[in-house]
Amino acid sequence: MTDINILTWNLQGFKDGALGGKIRGLLKEKNIHIACLQEVTSMGGWGGEENAEKITQFGEYDMFWVPWEGPKKGNARCSMAVLWDRESVAKPTITYVPSTVESCRGLIFGKFSVGRKNFNLANYHGFGEDRIVEAIRYMKVHSGQAVRWMIFGDFNFEGASAEGGVKESERVQILRSGQVTRPASGKELDYGFASLEGLEKNGAVALDNGGQSDHLPVIASVSLTRA
């Protein structure tokens, strides 16, 4: 059994120019294997401002960066990134998958391995139950029966509603803290979904960010239970 920690965080509204250093500290302190970040433009230049998808380095982590798409509106234009600890996580195959819905952002989709245990993982930023279902079904189709999968992000959909609806209709696990993750709205919008087989959820927690961004960072711990 292999335990891994995954962070999801929408950084919208973060005004602190030292954000890069704060994220490095959080990743190290919480032993994060993979981080899914949304709206990373607010992080300033450390993520890069080039208008192109790319892999770059961020301290002890590698990062796949998808830039802001200015002509689009709302969530469809927001920059995103996935970071992975290069010491404990094997170099993934990773790409950006555009959404079939014009008003929604696509997925960052990667094939990962930790401790010789393979899994697929995606970073999500969108809204609407239909879009969530579309993303989950994409993960199922591209993972098949043999590969476990997870998807984390800002779903803009109340976690309790997903627990009673999407979880049951799509037969998936939901990885949520049960805490408010966007204080301004009093809602839990940041969490994850996962396949039923091949992993066990150990828990999730939303961390206080001192009011520096609209959303709270959420860390989920899971155990990969088979090869």
Side-chain angles (χ1 to χ4, degrees), residues 117-155:
K117 293 183 177 177
N118 301 325
F119 58 95
N120 294 340
L121 182 139
N123 184 5
Y124 175 99
H125 187 207
F127 62 91
E129 186 171 359
D130 290 347
R131 172 64 184 128
I132 296 172
V133 169
E134 177 191 41
I136 288 173
R137 292 180 180 177
Y138 179 92
M139 298 301 290
K140 288 181 176 180
V141 168
H142 289 83
S143 300
Q145 296 294 321
V147 180
R148 80 204 98 209
W149 59 266
M150 293 171 277
I151 177 170
F152 287 90
D154 172 10
F155 293 90

Side-chain angles (χ1 to χ4, degrees), residues 57-147:
Q57 292 189 343
F58 178 67
E60 298 82 9
Y61 288 73
D62 287 333
M63 175 174 66
F64 182 81
W65 163 271
V66 177
W68 178 271
E69 293 190 44
K72 295 187 177 182
K73 297 181 180 180
N75 292 333
R77 63 183 177 176
C78 297
S79 47
M80 303 170 69
V82 171
L83 293 76
W84 58 93
D85 174 26
R86 71 174 69 93
E87 181 177 340
S88 61
V89 181
K91 184 178 180 180
T93 300
I94 193 164
T95 189
Y96 176 67
V97 182
S99 174
T100 60
V101 180
E102 181 65 24
S103 60
C104 289
R105 202 59 159 121
L107 299 173
I108 296 180
F109 174 82
K111 298 181 178 181
F112 290 87
S113 180
V114 176
R116 298 185 179 180
K117 293 183 177 177
N118 301 325
F119 58 95
N120 294 340
L121 182 139
N123 184 5
Y124 175 99
H125 187 207
F127 62 91
E129 186 171 359
D130 290 347
R131 172 64 184 128
I132 296 172
V133 169
E134 177 191 41
I136 288 173
R137 292 180 180 177
Y138 179 92
M139 298 301 290
K140 288 181 176 180
V141 168
H142 289 83
S143 300
Q145 296 294 321
V147 180

Side-chain angles (χ1 to χ4, degrees), residues 18-34:
L19 177 57
K22 292 189 175 182
I23 289 186
R24 286 189 185 94
L26 179 62
L27 295 176
K28 183 176 181 180
E29 176 189 353
K30 301 299 182 181
N31 189 30
I32 301 299
H33 294 80
I34 301 172

Side-chain angles (χ1 to χ4, degrees), residues 28-45:
K28 183 176 181 180
E29 176 189 353
K30 301 299 182 181
N31 189 30
I32 301 299
H33 294 80
I34 301 172
C36 296
L37 306 180
Q38 306 88 39
E39 304 207 46
V40 295
T41 302
S42 59
M43 296 165 69

